[in-house]
């Protein structure tokens, strides 16, 4: 592909990926308005987020295999059209069930779109120097997309209506579709690819069971029979999925993908990072709007510094050092900086604390997470066989979406449980109920944020132990030849 055409292809791919990532958070700020409009309960409102991330994560491996079978350009374009239609349905929803269903349908088409986008990127940019630049842009999209979604959600909710947080996807998807039609070359098909339906059913059912179990724990308690059954059953189904993948003729998750130590390290790191991150976005939004009384627009603007920090970390730190520094010396420090940011955020109180705690915490979080995530993207998709690039891309996205689903359900349950216990313990004659509710809510958020920080620290430990490559991998047959000599930081 000609050089200029390749970079225009990056624009199309990045636009589609931005839409997919953005939709994981754009409804966060709109959620209070949507909840009031559609009469959603507090216990059910989280499904606006988890219905999307769960369908997305549960079907990504299947979507990756379909892209190998049908061609990545074809599945990319089908995914764009389906995502636009599902977004229109969600925007027109007259009840919570329709909205939940539309969000799940968005996740289905995102599962077709995302692995195609990442596989197209990996196969379009094979020269090490250009690849680093392309993945720097892509990493910035992955990292900053969530924060951009929060800003866009604030603008749309404030000046139009919460429904436009969904309607906005329609023109974006159609523009990306037109660009793909004109610019992207027809993707290579792999005739030996097959659809592993039993694997898809086992994997999706296992993840649904675990996420639903976490979400029910708040209302039923962790020891409830249904909760225990869901969690244990989910683990058993995922174990059965793993066994089946070793026996299936054409598995959704080829063993060659997960036998590589560097990719396993990247997948585990991303899983743990997103477990910690997604719930924190939700908590900060409700803290700024519900506790401090900020408007949706002001809340969205509060995330702008994080977006800037993410862009700097991805394009100016990770992209410049990837190939010169051992990957774990980018991932581990990035995760530690991000964990430090969460530690600062976890100390907010009911008094306004944006400048003293939220802002510095966001800057640390954005800088650290973008550096770690961009490096992890390169590790997850580099040096993979062409016929498995769809599966590798899908596995990376699966780790991200499943982590987000589990994190939202788990941390929301922790926060709600701690809030209820705090309110009960401190209730009494003469206690101002509104003040107590605010203090209990913030305390619940703080405890859940400490747990999120623990997830990032565990991710740093996993990356430090498992990832041992001396340089970022280069795709097979990459033009170029010589990689930059890595810098050994061990002394």
């Amino acid at each position: 592909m000609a050089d200029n055409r390749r970079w225009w292809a990056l624009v199309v791919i990045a636009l589609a990926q931005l839409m997919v990532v953005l939709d994981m958070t754009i409804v966060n700020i709109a959620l209070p308005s949507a909840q009031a409009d559609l009469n959603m309960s507090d216990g059910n409102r989280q499904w606006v987020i988890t219905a999307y991330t769960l369908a997305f994560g549960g079907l990504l491996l299947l979507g990756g295999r379909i892209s190998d079978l049908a061609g990545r350009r074809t599945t990319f374009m089908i995914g764009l059209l389906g995502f636009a239609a599902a977004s229109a349905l969600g925007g027109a929803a007259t009840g919570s069930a329709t909205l939940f269903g539309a969000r799940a349908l968005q996740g289905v088409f995102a599962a077709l779109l995302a692995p195609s986008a990442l596989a197209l990127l990996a196969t379009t940019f094979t020269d090490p120097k250009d690849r680093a630049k392309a993945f720097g842009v892509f990493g910035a999209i992955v990292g900053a997309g969530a924060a951009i979604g929060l800003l866009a959600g604030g603008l749309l909710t404030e000046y139009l209506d919460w429904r436009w947080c969904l309607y906005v996807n329609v023109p974006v998807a159609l523009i990306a579709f037109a660009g793909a039609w004109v610019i992207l070359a027809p993707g290579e098909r792999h005739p030996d690819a097959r659809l592993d339906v039993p694997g898809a059913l086992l994997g999706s059912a296992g993840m649904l069971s675990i996420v639903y179990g976490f979400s029910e724990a708040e209302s039923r308690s962790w020891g409830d029979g249904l909760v225990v059954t869901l969690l244990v059953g989910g683990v058993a189904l995922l174990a059965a999925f793993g066994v089946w993948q070793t026996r299936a003729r054409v598995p959704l998750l080829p063993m060659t993908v997960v036998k590589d130590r560097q990719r396993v390290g990247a997948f585990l790191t991303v899983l743990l990072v997103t477990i910690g991150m997604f719930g924190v976005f939700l908590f900060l939004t409700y803290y700024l709007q519900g506790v401090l009384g900020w408007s949706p627009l002001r809340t969205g603007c509060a995330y702008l510094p994080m977006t800037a920090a993410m862009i700097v970390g991805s394009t100016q730190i990770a992209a410049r050092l990837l190939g010169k520094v051992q990957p774990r010396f980018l991932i581990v420090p990035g995760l530690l900086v991000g964990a430090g940011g969460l530690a600062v955020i976890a100390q907010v109180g009911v008094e306004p604390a944006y400048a003293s705690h939220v802002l510095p915490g966001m800057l640390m979080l954005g800088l650290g997470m973008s550096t770690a995530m961009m490096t992890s993207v390169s590790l997850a998709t580099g040096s993979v066989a062409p016929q498995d690039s769809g599966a590798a891309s899908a596995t990376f996205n699966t780790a991200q979406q499943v982590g987000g689903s589990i994190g939202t359900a788990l941390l929301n349950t922790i926060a709600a449980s701690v809030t209820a216990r705090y309110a009960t313990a401190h209730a009494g004659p003469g206690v101002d109920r509104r003040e107590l509710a605010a203090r209990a809510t913030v305390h619940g958020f703080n405890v859940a944020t400490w747990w999120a920080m623990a997830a990032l620290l565990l991710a740093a430990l996993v990356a430090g132990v498992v990832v041992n490559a001396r340089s970022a991998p280069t795709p097979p047959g990459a033009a170029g030849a010589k990689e930059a000599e890595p810098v050994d930081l061990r002394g």
Side-chain angles (χ1 to χ4, degrees), residues 104-123:
L105 195 58
Q106 279 185 309
V108 171
F109 285 104
L112 196 63
L113 174 61
S116 303
L118 195 51
L120 285 167
L121 183 70
T123 54

mmCIF file of all heavy atoms in Angstrom, residues 104-123:
data_model
loop_
_atom_site.group_PDB
_atom_site.id
_atom_site.type_symbol
_atom_site.label_atom_id
_atom_site.label_comp_id
_atom_site.label_asym_id
_atom_site.label_seq_id
_atom_site.Cartn_x
_atom_site.Cartn_y
_atom_site.Cartn_z
ATOM 1 N N ALA A 104 -26.329 -4.086 24.200
ATOM 2 C CA ALA A 104 -25.768 -5.418 23.948
ATOM 3 C C ALA A 104 -25.536 -5.626 22.455
ATOM 4 O O ALA A 104 -24.511 -6.197 22.050
ATOM 5 C CB ALA A 104 -26.701 -6.494 24.498
ATOM 6 N N LEU A 105 -26.454 -5.134 21.627
ATOM 7 C CA LEU A 105 -26.302 -5.272 20.181
ATOM 8 C C LEU A 105 -25.115 -4.453 19.677
ATOM 9 O O LEU A 105 -24.387 -4.883 18.774
ATOM 10 C CB LEU A 105 -27.590 -4.821 19.490
ATOM 11 C CG LEU A 105 -27.779 -5.219 18.014
ATOM 12 C CD1 LEU A 105 -27.716 -6.744 17.858
ATOM 13 C CD2 LEU A 105 -29.102 -4.683 17.490
ATOM 14 N N GLN A 106 -24.902 -3.284 20.278
ATOM 15 C CA GLN A 106 -23.701 -2.522 19.956
ATOM 16 C C GLN A 106 -22.452 -3.361 20.248
ATOM 17 O O GLN A 106 -21.497 -3.372 19.466
ATOM 18 C CB GLN A 106 -23.638 -1.247 20.803
ATOM 19 C CG GLN A 106 -24.474 -0.089 20.307
ATOM 20 C CD GLN A 106 -24.238 1.138 21.163
ATOM 21 O OE1 GLN A 106 -24.320 1.090 22.396
ATOM 22 N NE2 GLN A 106 -23.940 2.258 20.523
ATOM 23 N N GLY A 107 -22.468 -4.058 21.382
ATOM 24 C CA GLY A 107 -21.327 -4.887 21.749
ATOM 25 C C GLY A 107 -21.093 -6.017 20.759
ATOM 26 O O GLY A 107 -19.940 -6.366 20.459
ATOM 27 N N VAL A 108 -22.191 -6.588 20.229
ATOM 28 C CA VAL A 108 -22.073 -7.668 19.249
ATOM 29 C C VAL A 108 -21.326 -7.182 18.007
ATOM 30 O O VAL A 108 -20.391 -7.830 17.519
ATOM 31 C CB VAL A 108 -23.464 -8.206 18.863
ATOM 32 C CG1 VAL A 108 -23.359 -9.163 17.678
ATOM 33 C CG2 VAL A 108 -24.112 -8.919 20.058
ATOM 34 N N PHE A 109 -21.726 -6.018 17.482
ATOM 35 C CA PHE A 109 -21.078 -5.513 16.269
ATOM 36 C C PHE A 109 -19.689 -4.952 16.563
ATOM 37 O O PHE A 109 -18.801 -4.998 15.703
ATOM 38 C CB PHE A 109 -21.965 -4.471 15.592
ATOM 39 C CG PHE A 109 -23.140 -5.083 14.877
ATOM 40 C CD1 PHE A 109 -24.413 -5.036 15.410
ATOM 41 C CD2 PHE A 109 -22.947 -5.738 13.661
ATOM 42 C CE1 PHE A 109 -25.482 -5.612 14.761
ATOM 43 C CE2 PHE A 109 -24.019 -6.324 12.996
ATOM 44 C CZ PHE A 109 -25.286 -6.266 13.545
ATOM 45 N N ALA A 110 -19.479 -4.435 17.777
ATOM 46 C CA ALA A 110 -18.134 -3.996 18.153
ATOM 47 C C ALA A 110 -17.186 -5.187 18.198
ATOM 48 O O ALA A 110 -15.993 -5.069 17.875
ATOM 49 C CB ALA A 110 -18.173 -3.300 19.514
ATOM 50 N N ALA A 111 -17.712 -6.358 18.585
ATOM 51 C CA ALA A 111 -16.891 -7.570 18.630
ATOM 52 C C ALA A 111 -16.474 -8.013 17.231
ATOM 53 O O ALA A 111 -15.464 -8.713 17.073
ATOM 54 C CB ALA A 111 -17.672 -8.700 19.315
ATOM 55 N N LEU A 112 -17.229 -7.617 16.231
ATOM 56 C CA LEU A 112 -16.857 -7.893 14.849
ATOM 57 C C LEU A 112 -15.897 -6.833 14.323
ATOM 58 O O LEU A 112 -14.969 -7.132 13.561
ATOM 59 C CB LEU A 112 -18.122 -7.927 13.984
ATOM 60 C CG LEU A 112 -18.037 -8.549 12.586
ATOM 61 C CD1 LEU A 112 -17.671 -10.023 12.676
ATOM 62 C CD2 LEU A 112 -19.361 -8.368 11.859
ATOM 63 N N LEU A 113 -16.097 -5.607 14.761
ATOM 64 C CA LEU A 113 -15.334 -4.474 14.253
ATOM 65 C C LEU A 113 -13.931 -4.360 14.851
ATOM 66 O O LEU A 113 -12.947 -4.170 14.122
ATOM 67 C CB LEU A 113 -16.133 -3.196 14.546
ATOM 68 C CG LEU A 113 -15.509 -1.840 14.238
ATOM 69 C CD1 LEU A 113 -15.217 -1.720 12.760
ATOM 70 C CD2 LEU A 113 -16.444 -0.725 14.694
ATOM 71 N N ALA A 114 -13.823 -4.477 16.173
ATOM 72 C CA ALA A 114 -12.555 -4.192 16.848
ATOM 73 C C ALA A 114 -11.408 -5.114 16.440
ATOM 74 O O ALA A 114 -10.308 -4.631 16.151
ATOM 75 C CB ALA A 114 -12.760 -4.218 18.364
ATOM 76 N N PRO A 115 -11.591 -6.447 16.430
ATOM 77 C CA PRO A 115 -10.452 -7.285 16.012
ATOM 78 C C PRO A 115 -10.060 -7.066 14.562
ATOM 79 O O PRO A 115 -8.876 -7.173 14.220
ATOM 80 C CB PRO A 115 -10.957 -8.712 16.246
ATOM 81 C CG PRO A 115 -12.436 -8.625 16.317
ATOM 82 C CD PRO A 115 -12.738 -7.257 16.849
ATOM 83 N N SER A 116 -11.020 -6.733 13.713
ATOM 84 C CA SER A 116 -10.698 -6.426 12.324
ATOM 85 C C SER A 116 -9.844 -5.170 12.242
ATOM 86 O O SER A 116 -8.874 -5.101 11.468
ATOM 87 C CB SER A 116 -11.983 -6.220 11.513
ATOM 88 O OG SER A 116 -12.820 -7.348 11.575
ATOM 89 N N ALA A 117 -10.180 -4.159 13.061
ATOM 90 C CA ALA A 117 -9.424 -2.905 13.056
ATOM 91 C C ALA A 117 -7.989 -3.127 13.500
ATOM 92 O O ALA A 117 -7.032 -2.661 12.862
ATOM 93 C CB ALA A 117 -10.113 -1.888 13.968
ATOM 94 N N LEU A 118 -7.805 -3.853 14.598
ATOM 95 C CA LEU A 118 -6.453 -4.070 15.119
ATOM 96 C C LEU A 118 -5.633 -4.959 14.186
ATOM 97 O O LEU A 118 -4.439 -4.744 13.978
ATOM 98 C CB LEU A 118 -6.532 -4.692 16.518
ATOM 99 C CG LEU A 118 -5.261 -4.674 17.360
ATOM 100 C CD1 LEU A 118 -4.657 -3.286 17.413
ATOM 101 C CD2 LEU A 118 -5.558 -5.177 18.764
ATOM 102 N N ALA A 119 -6.283 -5.962 13.578
ATOM 103 C CA ALA A 119 -5.575 -6.826 12.626
ATOM 104 C C ALA A 119 -5.186 -6.049 11.376
ATOM 105 O O ALA A 119 -4.083 -6.229 10.833
ATOM 106 C CB ALA A 119 -6.446 -8.027 12.261
ATOM 107 N N LEU A 120 -6.068 -5.165 10.900
ATOM 108 C CA LEU A 120 -5.738 -4.323 9.751
ATOM 109 C C LEU A 120 -4.554 -3.418 10.059
ATOM 110 O O LEU A 120 -3.670 -3.212 9.221
ATOM 111 C CB LEU A 120 -6.953 -3.481 9.348
ATOM 112 C CG LEU A 120 -8.085 -4.201 8.604
ATOM 113 C CD1 LEU A 120 -9.333 -3.329 8.556
ATOM 114 C CD2 LEU A 120 -7.646 -4.562 7.188
ATOM 115 N N LEU A 121 -4.519 -2.885 11.256
ATOM 116 C CA LEU A 121 -3.408 -2.022 11.657
ATOM 117 C C LEU A 121 -2.105 -2.802 11.695
ATOM 118 O O LEU A 121 -1.069 -2.350 11.187
ATOM 119 C CB LEU A 121 -3.706 -1.410 13.031
ATOM 120 C CG LEU A 121 -2.667 -0.425 13.562
ATOM 121 C CD1 LEU A 121 -2.681 0.857 12.752
ATOM 122 C CD2 LEU A 121 -2.939 -0.117 15.034
ATOM 123 N N ALA A 122 -2.147 -3.995 12.292
ATOM 124 C CA ALA A 122 -0.936 -4.803 12.445
ATOM 125 C C ALA A 122 -0.378 -5.253 11.101
ATOM 126 O O ALA A 122 0.843 -5.361 10.930
ATOM 127 C CB ALA A 122 -1.232 -6.007 13.329
ATOM 128 N N THR A 123 -1.250 -5.530 10.146
ATOM 129 C CA THR A 123 -0.786 -6.014 8.846
ATOM 130 C C THR A 123 -0.490 -4.882 7.859
ATOM 131 O O THR A 123 0.195 -5.089 6.865
ATOM 132 C CB THR A 123 -1.824 -6.966 8.220
ATOM 133 O OG1 THR A 123 -3.102 -6.313 8.170
ATOM 134 C CG2 THR A 123 -1.953 -8.237 9.052
#
